Amino acid sequence: MQYEAGDILFADDTQQKEELWRMRRRVAEAVKIAGYSIEEDTVVPRAELPALIQGVKELGKEYNFHGVCYGHAGDGNLHIRIKKAGTENSGDDLELIAGIRALFELVYRLGGTISGEHGIGLVQKRYLNVVFNETQLNLMRQIKKAFDPNNILNAGKIFDIE
């Protein structure tokens, strides 16, 4: 198969549809049990999903990690769970940091962004400059300062405390 897909399942009736949804809801639990501890949240145009999945596999080989992709294909939102031997947190592994940056650069080249539904926080803030230039980041900082001049709302979560 061109994209190395496993099974592709379609529901023929309501019962099968419910079963497929049950399986989908349990994917996150299953990959956590299997040791996939790092989750990245991406969005690309739906037509680019095959390129993103193929890119995850290639980046995994280059940066020594395994990835499981799942999510909301209908809106291009793909969760990528990563497992690398001996690494539980992406912030602790320089090779993995480089691999995630390369992943987000791929996402950006495919016309996407680095956060779908989970938002930017402590994990992804170091990668904001992949999808936003310095002018855009400064504008966001100014908006934050205008609405939160004392920096009491989620201080340090997206922008460092000044």
Side-chain angles (χ1 to χ4, degrees), residues 81-102:
R81 276 276 178 180
I82 295 171
K83 176 169 73 171
K84 183 176 181 190
T87 303
E88 291 184 25
N89 182 313
S90 59
D92 296 335
D93 186 298
L94 295 178
E95 183 179 42
L96 197 51
I97 290 169
I100 292 170
R101 179 166 290 279

Side-chain angles (χ1 to χ4, degrees), residues 23 29 56 66 71 76 114 117 120 124 126 134 146 157 160:
M23 287 173 27
E29 297 169 33
V56 168
H66 296 281
I114 65 173
E117 62 186 348
I120 301 295
Q124 289 179 320
R126 74 171 48 163
E134 196 57 36
K157 294 291 182 182
D160 292 330

Side-chain angles (χ1 to χ4, degrees), residues 46-158:
R46 287 178 302 210
E48 299 296 348
L49 283 170
L52 177 57
I53 292 169
Q54 186 62 39
V56 168
K57 291 177 183 189
E58 292 169 4
L59 290 169
K61 290 175 187 171
E62 183 177 348
Y63 292 96
N64 301 308
F65 67 81
H66 296 281
V68 172
C69 302
Y70 62 97
H72 317 275
D75 61 10
N77 186 325
L78 196 66
H79 303 301
I80 302 167
R81 276 276 178 180
I82 295 171
K83 176 169 73 171
K84 183 176 181 190
T87 303
E88 291 184 25
N89 182 313
S90 59
D92 296 335
D93 186 298
L94 295 178
E95 183 179 42
L96 197 51
I97 290 169
I100 292 170
R101 179 166 290 279
L103 168 65
F104 288 149
E105 288 169 351
L106 169 64
V107 166
Y108 184 69
R109 283 193 309 275
L110 294 174
T113 191
I114 65 173
S115 180
E117 62 186 348
H118 294 176
I120 301 295
L122 294 173
V123 174
Q124 289 179 320
K125 77 182 211 178
R126 74 171 48 163
Y127 305 106
L128 280 173
N129 64 352
V130 172
V131 293
F132 299 111
N133 64 41
E134 196 57 36
T135 300
Q136 293 166 322
L137 290 170
N138 283 333
L139 180 60
M140 287 185 246
R141 287 184 192 100
Q142 290 171 15
I143 292 168
K144 163 86 166 135
K145 190 169 188 150
F147 285 97
D148 184 20
N150 297 320
N151 201 26
I152 60 172
L153 303 174
N154 282 330
K157 294 291 182 182
I158 297 177

